[in-house]
Amino acid sequence: MRAQRQQLTRLQEQRGALDVELAQKNMSVQNLRERIQQKYHVNLDDVRSECITITFADEGPAKVHVMTPEEMAQSGAATDWTAVGQQIETLQQRLDEIGR
């Protein structure tokens, strides 16, 4: 019984630490959302998430296909967030250089 109480105490402490970490992450996300709103005048809630593929044909018009995030997940077309982050950093550096 004592061992179970000790384990319960440890688990409650872990849960408390995770709750604190979650609150910190939520605050960081909110801060980022506000910074994006202020800097770029974009409300992230209004941004649609979609993937657009364009297939060029030798003859006739190009074919455009729009996929929802669910369709992307089903087809295995995932976003490479590391590459997106690198592109954002590069673009931010270019913007910063323009402002100098």
Side-chain angles (χ1 to χ4, degrees):
M1 188 83 141
R2 186 179 308 162
Q4 288 182 342
R5 283 189 194 133
Q6 290 174 343
Q7 183 180 8
L8 177 60
T9 301
R10 280 193 309 273
L11 291 173
Q12 288 172 336
E13 290 172 357
Q14 286 178 349
R15 181 178 178 195
L18 289 173
D19 286 341
V20 168
E21 185 178 349
L22 178 61
Q24 290 172 338
K25 299 287 185 193
N26 285 332
M27 287 174 51
S28 294
V29 167
Q30 185 61 33
N31 183 21
L32 285 171
R33 293 173 72 84
E34 290 171 4
R35 286 177 38 206
I36 289 169
Q37 172 67 36
Q38 290 172 355
K39 188 169 186 173
Y40 302 107
H41 307 288
V42 173
N43 182 353
L44 291 180
D45 293 329
D46 297 338
V47 176
R48 286 190 336 190
S49 178
E50 60 187 25
C51 176
I52 299 173
T53 57
I54 301 173
T55 305
F56 294 99
D58 290 336
E59 294 181 12
K63 295 180 182 179
V64 177
H65 179 69
V66 179
M67 292 191 299
T68 64
E70 294 80 18
E71 291 171 328
M72 289 173 57
Q74 289 174 355
S75 70
T79 301
D80 182 357
W81 292 109
T82 303
V84 170
Q86 290 171 347
Q87 288 176 345
I88 290 171
E89 286 178 20
T90 301
L91 292 171
Q92 186 62 53
Q93 288 174 353
R94 289 175 61 192
L95 284 172
D96 292 343
E97 290 172 1
I98 291 172
R100 291 183 195 174

